[in-house]
């Protein structure tokens, strides 16, 4: 297992180098000097931010030196400070001479996005697994048709539109759920349980929206996985042994159909993180997606580059965890690598 | 082709796409109003016999804007996927045919691209460029070629050792002939299926970007940016949100049905 882990970690090195190159390339996308794209009506402010960009990314130095310095920033996770007037550190908190701590922007936004994504995954597992199994067991009959119809709609429905509709229906027309932000007014004065309840109420819609397409995908995946597995010889054997249908379906078939799900979850991480932009900006949730969107609108380059890098790093970590979980669950994978 | 369309799913999808394409192409002929003409006397009118889908906050006719928006969706979807498919075919062919270090390099590049959240990547690139329909198409194309690349490579790897390819190679066929005569034509089915499904997701991405104000810019209309107005007026003007959302839903559904139907009809393995 340890050798497998080391092996996997080693594989991440070329990926990290690639990510650094791509982000460096994006930094130099704009024609000529990247500072030239800074569109501002105030020539003084614009000149100032140009100067800041030049300093931040050392744009007056040779390209190779710039890249080296960018690598150093990535390695030390130091993405500088935001261009916005508050000038907060992009990634993690800093302490100045007076001992004042300034929280990092990603530091504050990341837990929110992770919470939403973890809750979405829980929702996906809780709903998609039963749907997929029911669909497979009632193949081509009414329940399966209904679920497949739902899956196709789930794939095709634009999340931001559904978000708008639900916002209108549950928030504006009926006042059942709060429609923006993470906390109600007066959150500070609530008791601990009321606080948790309040936050959860704010998270219902965002979690549903960010989980929806995953939900459709995983249902379909579980259905097809189950159908494949149910045709295997060992299922026939299990039935022939006289095991009950429940033991066959849930003990033998489902367990094997679920294995590839681990990998699918790993692969779905970049989509979930990227998808947070839409859900979070519609519901004004202060997570990574909203932070990124605001940064794009403001052309706040240090924040953009920081989130891009951290997002990629999260994906790599997620894939690593998924691979390890797979290796833990399926000894064939471990052995295959060890030989 | 006949076999493909005898599949009811594929046929339904094909029908939806065909109707939308015709409406989009005929937009200048059938649109009752100029989609960009502002009319302050008819602001936020509900649907009626003159304005079938009502008017928006600037008095523009929503039905006409929807028709012209269909052109944007179709064009972005098709051009973006065209770019992605072309890159995918070239890189996948090189990777699967020549193997060796080129293959390793290209596959690592795919891994790198897949590890950066795509929507972040697209937004980051757009932050450095000016948002316009051309930039959107190019950016979506340049960030969605990884799937096709892997697919073409896998097809090539499995076809490479089949008898008819080896026979041709033994007879002295050159690389170009092997690739274009034998390998590519036999990989066409999965490429077409993945392109059709790719158009569906490109349409979703474009409308999302336009909705966020980072895609097609006003006054040019796109389903996404009509919805941005819809959000503004959601309490008073349901028609501004309902129609563009439905249009996106139906279009994406059409491409998905067509893609999945084609897969079922053309690939005997998947029909379980």
């Amino acid at each position: 297992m340890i050798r497998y882990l080391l092996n996997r970690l080693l594989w991440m090195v070329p990926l990290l180098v690639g990510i650094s190159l791509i982000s460096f390339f994006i930094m130099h996308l704009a024609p000529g000097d990247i500072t030239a794209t800074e569109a501002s009506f105030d020539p003084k402010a614009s000149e100032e931010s140009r100067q800041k960009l030049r300093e931040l990314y050392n744009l007056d130095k040779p390209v190779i030196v710039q890249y080296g310095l960018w690598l150093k920033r990535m390695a030390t996770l130091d993405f500088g400070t935001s261009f916005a007037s508050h000038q907060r550190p992009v990634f993690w908190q800093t302490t100045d001479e007076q001992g004042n701590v300034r929280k990092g922007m990603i530091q504050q936004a990341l837990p929110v996005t992770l919470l939403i994504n973890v809750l979405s995954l829980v929702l996906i597992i809780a709903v998609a697994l039963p749907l997929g199994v029911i669909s497979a067991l009632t193949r081509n009959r009414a329940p399966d048709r209904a679920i497949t119809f739902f899956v196709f709609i789930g794939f095709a429905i634009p999340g931001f539109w559904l978000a708008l509709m639900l916002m209108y229906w549950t928030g504006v027309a009926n006042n059942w759920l709060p429609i923006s932000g993470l906390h109600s007014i007066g959150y500070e004065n609530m008791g601990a349980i009321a606080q948790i309840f309040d936050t959860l109420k704010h998270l219902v819609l965002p979690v549903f929206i960010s989980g929806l397409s995953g939900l459709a995908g995983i249902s379909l995946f579980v259905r097809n996985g189950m159908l494949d597995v149910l045709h295997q010889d060992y299922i026939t054997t299990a039935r022939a042994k006289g095991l009950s249908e429940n033991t066959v379906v849930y003990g033998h078939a489902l367990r094997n159909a679920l294995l590839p799900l681990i990998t699918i979850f790993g692969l779905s991480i970049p989509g979930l993180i990227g998808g947070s932009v839409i859900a979070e900006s519609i519901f004004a949730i202060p997570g990574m997606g909203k932070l990124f969107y605001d940064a794009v609108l403001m052309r706040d380059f240090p924040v953009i580059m920081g989130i891009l890098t951290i997002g990629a790093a999260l994906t790599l970590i997620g894939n690593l965890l998924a691979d390890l979980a797979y290796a833990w669950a399926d000894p064939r994978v471990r052995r295959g690598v060890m030989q | 082709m006949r076999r493909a369309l005898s599949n009811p799913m594929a046929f339904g999808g094909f029908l939806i796409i065909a109707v939308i394409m015709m409406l989009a192409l005929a937009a200048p002929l059938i649109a009752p109003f100029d989609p960009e003409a502002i009319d302050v006397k008819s602001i936020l009118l509900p649907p009626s016999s003159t304005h079938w889908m009502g008017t928006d906050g600037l008095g523009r006719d929503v039905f006409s804007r929807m028709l012209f928006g269909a052109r944007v969706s179709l064009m972005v979807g098709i051009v973006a996927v065209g770019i992605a498919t072309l890159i995918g075919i070239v890189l996948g062919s090189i990777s699967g045919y020549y193997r060796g270090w080129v293959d390793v390099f290209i596959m690592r590049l795919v891994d790198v691209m897949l590890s950066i959240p795509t929507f972040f990547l697209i937004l980051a690139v757009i932050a450095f460029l000016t948002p316009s329909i051309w930039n959107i198409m190019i950016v979506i194309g340049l960030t969605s070629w990884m799937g096709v690349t892997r697919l073409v490579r896998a097809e090539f790897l499995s076809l490479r050792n089949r008898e008819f390819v080896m026979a041709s190679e033994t007879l002295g066929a050159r690389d170009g002939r092997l690739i274009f005569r034998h390998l590519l034509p036999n990989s066409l089915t999965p490429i077409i299926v993945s392109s059709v499904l790719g158009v569906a997701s490109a349409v979703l991405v474009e409308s999302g970007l336009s909705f966020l104000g980072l895609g097609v810019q006003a006054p040019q209309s796109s389903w996404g940016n009509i919805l941005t107005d819809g959000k503004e007026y959601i309490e008073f003007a349901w028609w501004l949100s309902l129609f563009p959302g439905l249009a996106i839903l139906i279009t994406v559904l059409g491409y998905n049905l067509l893609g999945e139907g084609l897969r079922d009809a053309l690939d005997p393995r998947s029909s379980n």
Side-chain angles (χ1 to χ4, degrees):
Chain A
M1 197 70 189
I2 290 178
R3 267 186 69 182
Y4 178 75
L5 177 66
L6 287 177
N7 212 316
R8 272 303 273 101
L9 282 174
L10 214 60
W11 267 115
M12 280 166 70
V13 175
L15 290 185
L16 283 168
V17 173
I19 291 167
S20 72
L21 279 170
I22 287 186
S23 49
F24 185 70
F25 171 73
I26 290 176
M27 237 152 64
H28 286 77
L29 255 189
D33 192 354
I34 59 167
T35 53
T37 51
E38 189 80 8
S40 170
F41 293 107
D42 179 359
K44 233 171 93 190
S46 164
E47 186 45 51
E48 198 188 318
S49 74
R50 266 175 224 193
Q51 191 53 42
K52 274 195 273 180
L53 261 185
R54 265 184 228 117
E55 274 167 32
L56 186 68
Y57 298 131
N58 305 286
L59 296 174
D60 40 6
K61 304 223 170 72
V63 173
I64 187 81
V65 177
Q66 286 180 33
Y67 177 66
L69 290 167
W70 171 238
L71 265 188
K72 194 181 147 206
R73 281 195 175 280
M74 275 183 63
T76 54
L77 293 173
D78 169 20
F79 299 103
T81 55
S82 165
F83 280 180
S85 51
H86 54 65
Q87 294 189 346
R88 285 171 48 197
V90 170
F91 182 62
W92 209 256
Q93 63 193 32
T94 52
T95 317
D96 62 9
E97 297 89 40
Q98 283 93 39
N100 297 322
V101 177
R102 312 197 67 195
K103 290 268 185 201
M105 295 169 85
I106 294 179
Q107 179 188 10
Q108 286 188 320
L110 190 56
V112 177
T113 300
L114 286 182
L115 177 66
I116 293 181
N117 282 333
V118 168
L119 289 177
S120 309
L121 281 180
V122 172
L123 175 80
I124 291 173
I125 294 174
V127 179
L129 277 193
L131 283 187
V133 173
I134 294 171
S135 204
L137 294 181
T138 60
R139 190 177 141 208
N140 289 342
R141 281 184 279 129
D144 178 34
R145 299 252 181 231
I147 291 169
T148 306
F149 177 75
F150 156 80
V151 164
F152 268 92
I153 297 291
F155 272 135
I157 202 161
F160 53 93
W161 180 61
L162 187 65
L164 274 186
M165 297 284 120
L166 289 176
M167 224 167 128
Y168 179 73
W169 183 49
T170 63
V172 181
N174 287 308
N175 206 12
W176 291 331
L177 287 171
I179 53 171
S180 88
L182 205 49
H183 306 301
S184 306
I185 301 165
Y187 175 78
E188 293 77 19
N189 305 327
M190 293 178 187
I193 292 174
Q195 279 190 343
I196 293 175
F197 190 68
D198 180 62
T199 309
L200 284 179
K201 246 169 81 175
H202 280 83
L203 286 177
V204 171
L205 291 179
V207 165
F208 177 68
I209 294 296
S210 57
L212 184 71
S213 75
L215 216 142
I218 300 291
S219 313
L220 192 64
F221 188 84
V222 171
R223 173 188 185 269
N224 293 342
M226 279 296 278
L227 286 178
D228 278 349
V229 170
L230 284 172
H231 286 165
Q232 302 283 327
D233 291 340
Y234 61 83
I235 296 295
T236 317
T237 312
R239 286 218 172 94
K241 279 197 301 191
L243 294 179
S244 74
E245 189 61 22
N246 275 340
T247 318
V248 173
V249 169
Y250 298 103
H252 288 68
L254 186 60
R255 284 180 62 166
N256 282 290
L258 287 189
L259 263 182
L261 261 191
I262 300 174
T263 310
I264 297 283
F265 277 130
L267 292 177
S268 67
I269 292 171
L272 281 173
I273 299 175
S276 64
V277 173
I278 285 182
E280 287 178 6
S281 55
I282 289 181
F283 295 110
I285 304 279
M288 294 277 277
K290 172 123 177 34
L291 186 63
F292 191 69
Y293 176 59
D294 292 343
V296 167
L297 287 184
M298 305 294 294
R299 306 284 191 271
D300 193 345
F301 295 119
V303 177
I304 296 176
M305 299 312 294
I307 296 185
L308 203 60
T309 315
I310 298 294
L314 282 179
T315 308
L316 289 184
I317 294 171
N319 286 344
L320 178 69
L321 290 179
D323 282 356
L324 291 181
Y326 203 110
W328 170 75
D330 187 347
R332 286 169 299 183
V333 176
R334 286 202 295 268
R335 305 239 167 81
V337 171
M338 281 175 167
Q339 276 160 10
Chain B
M1 194 66 196
R2 195 180 308 143
R3 184 160 50 112
L5 291 183
S6 65
N7 176 299
M9 235 170 30
F11 185 70
F14 174 78
L15 220 59
I16 293 175
I17 302 303
V19 168
I20 292 170
M21 271 192 183
M22 280 192 289
L23 286 174
L25 287 177
L29 302 174
I30 50 180
F33 292 89
D34 175 352
E36 293 173 16
I38 295 171
D39 180 1
V40 283
K41 276 176 289 188
S42 46
I43 284 174
L44 293 180
L45 293 179
S48 65
S49 55
T50 13
H51 298 285
W52 291 359
M53 294 183 180
T55 61
D56 68 4
L58 295 171
R60 295 174 296 198
D61 180 56
V62 175
F63 180 60
S64 307
R65 290 182 73 68
M66 292 284 299
L67 286 174
F68 279 87
R71 305 184 125 200
V72 170
S73 280
L74 287 176
M75 195 158 78
V76 172
I78 291 168
V79 175
V81 170
I83 295 173
T85 309
L86 195 70
I87 300 176
I89 289 179
V90 171
L91 291 184
S93 305
I94 295 175
S95 204
Y97 189 85
Y98 293 103
R99 283 178 266 189
W101 66 267
V102 212
D103 181 28
V104 174
F105 177 78
I106 291 176
M107 284 304 110
R108 286 294 80 75
L109 187 64
V110 167
D111 289 343
V112 169
M113 291 293 290
L114 284 176
S115 67
I116 304 178
T118 314
F119 208 67
F120 277 10
L121 192 59
I122 293 175
L123 283 180
V125 174
I126 285 172
F128 285 84
L129 304 172
T130 37
S132 77
I133 182 166
W134 295 105
N135 283 337
I136 300 289
M137 293 193 288
I138 295 169
V139 172
I140 297 178
L142 290 181
T143 50
S144 52
W145 47 269
M146 294 80 80
V148 193
T149 306
R150 279 192 169 166
L151 202 108
V152 174
R153 173 180 179 271
E155 287 294 314
F156 271 38
L157 287 182
S158 83
L159 288 169
R160 197 72 169 79
N161 296 322
R162 298 270 289 278
E163 277 94 355
F164 71 94
V165 178
M166 295 220 264
S168 177
E169 197 173 4
T170 317
L171 290 172
R174 288 169 200 275
D175 292 354
R177 189 181 163 80
L178 280 176
I179 292 175
F180 291 107
R181 261 320 272 234
H182 296 296
L183 296 172
L184 260 187
N186 282 294
S187 320
L188 224 50
T189 304
I191 296 177
I192 292 173
V193 169
S194 94
S195 307
V196 173
L197 295 175
V199 177
S201 60
V203 168
L204 276 178
V205 171
E206 182 275 324
S207 61
L209 286 173
S210 297
F211 174 72
L212 291 174
L214 296 166
V216 176
Q217 301 290 304
Q220 194 179 13
S221 67
S222 113
W223 294 339
N225 71 22
I226 301 174
L227 264 169
T228 315
D229 282 3
K231 185 187 175 201
E232 205 75 31
Y233 299 111
I234 192 156
E235 287 171 62
F236 332 102
W238 53 267
W239 55 91
L240 274 179
S241 303
L242 182 71
F243 296 119
L246 277 182
I248 300 167
L249 172 64
I250 292 171
T251 307
V252 174
L253 188 66
Y255 283 113
N256 280 340
L257 285 174
L258 183 62
E260 295 292 341
L262 285 180
R263 191 208 305 269
D264 281 358
L266 301 176
D267 179 5
R269 274 169 301 178
S270 73
S271 50
N272 46 25

